[in-house]
């Protein structure tokens, strides 16, 4: 049972344009979400998070939107840069007071110069 | 503050052998989780240790085991290695409570031949 889903395996955008990465979840008990960025053969790096009490969180070029009724979140990167090319994972803690994260399958973003 | 350290970075083993991977979490972090990433797969949760006790376990066979020491350092062991165990093994540490991000190490690339 895939509780966190990223249905787009890949996304290609032009440098300077907006990148929108999507994530859906099925467990309505999830109340915190995280986005990670990963380069090949390296560990994921935390990007940005959002609590379910908010519908938007912004950090520089990165903004995450949460639509609880649709069980959907999205990561917007504006403007996109070639260095943003990586695999992006959304994740949610399995429950409170746990370090266990449930990850989506990831979306590979390619930003073309 | 030092990050999460995983050793070794690369490992080549033969089918049937066993392997031990090590993870040193961020100072003060007591939760250590292990994940497996195989080509085309997302990050699959293996287990989480907190204060030397296994707090969560994923759906992996008993050949995969782990432990945590009093200084929060953790090891995972895979016995009777199979070709399918070839993967990037990632360790993440986090503070004990939810709503905080997990910090990942660089990973150990295990190749079983």
């Amino acid at each position: 049972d895939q509780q966190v889903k990223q249905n787009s395996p890949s996304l290609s955008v032009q440098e300077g344009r907006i990148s929108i990465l999507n994530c859906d979840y099925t467990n309505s008990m999830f109340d915190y979400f995280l986005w990670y960025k990963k380069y090949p053969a390296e560990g994921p790096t935390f990007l940005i998070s959002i609590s379910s009490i908010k519908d938007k969180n912004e950090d520089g070029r990165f903004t995450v939107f949460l639509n609880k009724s649709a069980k959907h979140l999205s990561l917007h990167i504006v403007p996109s840069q070639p260095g943003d090319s990586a695999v992006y994972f959304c994740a949610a803690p399995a429950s409170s007071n746990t370090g266990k994260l449930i990850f989506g399958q990831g979306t590979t973003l390619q930003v073309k110069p | 503050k030092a990050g999460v350290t995983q050793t070794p970075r690369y490992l080549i083993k033969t089918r049937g052998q066993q392997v031990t991977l090590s993870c040193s979490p961020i100072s003060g972090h007591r939760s250590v989780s292990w994940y497996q990433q195989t080509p085309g797969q997302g990050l699959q949760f293996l287990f989480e240790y907190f204060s030397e006790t296994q707090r969560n376990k994923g759906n992996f066979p008993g050949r995969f085991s782990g432990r945590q020491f009093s200084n929060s350092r953790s090891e995972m062991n895979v016995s009777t290695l199979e070709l399918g165990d070839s993967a990037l093994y990632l360790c993440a540490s986090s503070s004990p409570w939810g709503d905080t991000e997990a910090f990942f190490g660089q990973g150990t690339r295990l190749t079983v031949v």
Side-chain angles (χ1 to χ4, degrees), chain A:
Chain A
D1 177 29
Q2 191 72 23
Q3 298 186 68
V4 178
K5 302 177 187 179
Q6 293 175 258
N7 293 317
S8 299
S10 63
L11 174 68
S12 181
V13 300
Q14 208 65 37
E15 181 179 6
R17 305 295 291 268
I18 184 172
S19 295
I20 300 176
L21 297 100
N22 294 303
C23 179
D24 297 297
Y25 61 97
T26 57
N27 190 336
S28 57
M29 298 300 290
F30 288 159
D31 59 5
Y32 192 73
F33 301 91
L34 308 95
W35 283 93
Y36 284 85
K37 173 181 179 180
K38 186 181 183 301
Y39 295 114
E42 291 187 10
T45 302
F46 170 75
L47 267 180
I48 191 169
S49 62
I50 188 166
S51 166
S52 61
I53 63 173
K54 295 184 175 181
D55 54 18
K56 175 183 173 182
N57 190 25
E58 199 170 347
D59 184 1
R61 296 187 297 114
F62 301 91
T63 303
V64 57
F65 295 92
L66 175 62
N67 182 333
K68 290 187 291 292
S69 60
K71 296 192 180 69
H72 176 83
L73 59 155
S74 60
L75 175 67
H76 293 212
I77 306 174
V78 183
S80 299
Q81 299 172 355
D84 295 329
S85 297
V87 180
Y88 289 79
F89 291 95
C90 66
S95 60
S96 61
N97 297 343
T98 177
K100 176 183 177 181
L101 293 174
I102 298 175
F103 284 86
Q105 295 294 90
T107 297
T108 300
L109 172 65
Q110 182 186 30
V111 180
K112 297 178 179 177

